[in-house]
């Protein structure tokens, strides 16, 4: 896996995280829903994926698929997320971003 693909995937996920406003959100009740979505995403990505695949690249691909599928059904990313009333797509994307942040190496470690 190329370093460029990993960098590009992380950049996409960081931008998506910023667009969703994840730095200032979600509230604890919403975090439980995000964690449930995260578990589902991990299960989906675990099936048929080679061990050498980089998680950030897989997560970015999955997020792009969610965005494409939602857009084809008329979903638009909200300018500002109302977290207590967030829809399935927003929660799923938040979970993907949350998983990507957990997977990032700690600087200096």
């Amino acid at each position: 896996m190329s370093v460029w693909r990993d960098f590009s995937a992380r950049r996409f996920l960081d931008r998506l995280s910023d667009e969703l406003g994840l730095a200032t959100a979600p509230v604890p009740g919403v975090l439980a829903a995000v964690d449930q979505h995260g578990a589902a995403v991990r299960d989906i990505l675990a099936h048929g994926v080679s061990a050498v695949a980089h998680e950030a690249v897989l997560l970015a691909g999955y997020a792009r698929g969610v965005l494409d599928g939602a857009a084809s059904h008329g979903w638009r990313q909200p300018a500002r997320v109302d977290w207590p009333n967030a829809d399935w797509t927003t929660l799923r994307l938040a979970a993907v971003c949350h998983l990507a942040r957990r997977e990032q190496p700690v600087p200096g470690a």
Side-chain angles (χ1 to χ4, degrees):
M1 185 78 48
S2 80
V3 173
W4 174 249
R5 284 178 57 184
D6 191 61
F7 173 78
S8 177
R10 287 184 188 283
R11 197 169 90 193
F12 168 76
L13 292 167
D14 286 344
R15 186 176 69 244
L16 180 60
S17 181
D18 290 344
E19 289 171 2
L20 291 172
L22 291 177
T24 60
V27 294
V30 176
L31 286 176
V34 170
D35 284 343
Q36 289 177 338
H37 278 270
V41 170
R42 279 191 307 272
D43 289 346
I44 289 167
L45 294 181
H47 294 294
V49 175
S50 80
V52 298
H54 287 233
E55 188 171 344
V57 174
L58 295 174
L59 289 169
Y62 181 82
R64 284 187 175 111
V66 169
L67 285 167
D68 289 347
S72 73
H73 287 84
W75 182 84
R76 297 291 176 252
Q77 188 170 322
R80 183 180 167 137
V81 177
D82 175 19
W83 286 107
N85 299 306
D87 61 15
W88 183 95
T89 301
T90 302
L91 291 172
R92 185 57 63 113
L93 293 171
V96 170
C97 293
H98 185 69
L99 288 171
R101 294 236 186 244
R102 276 196 229 166
E103 189 256 320
Q104 287 183 343
V106 177

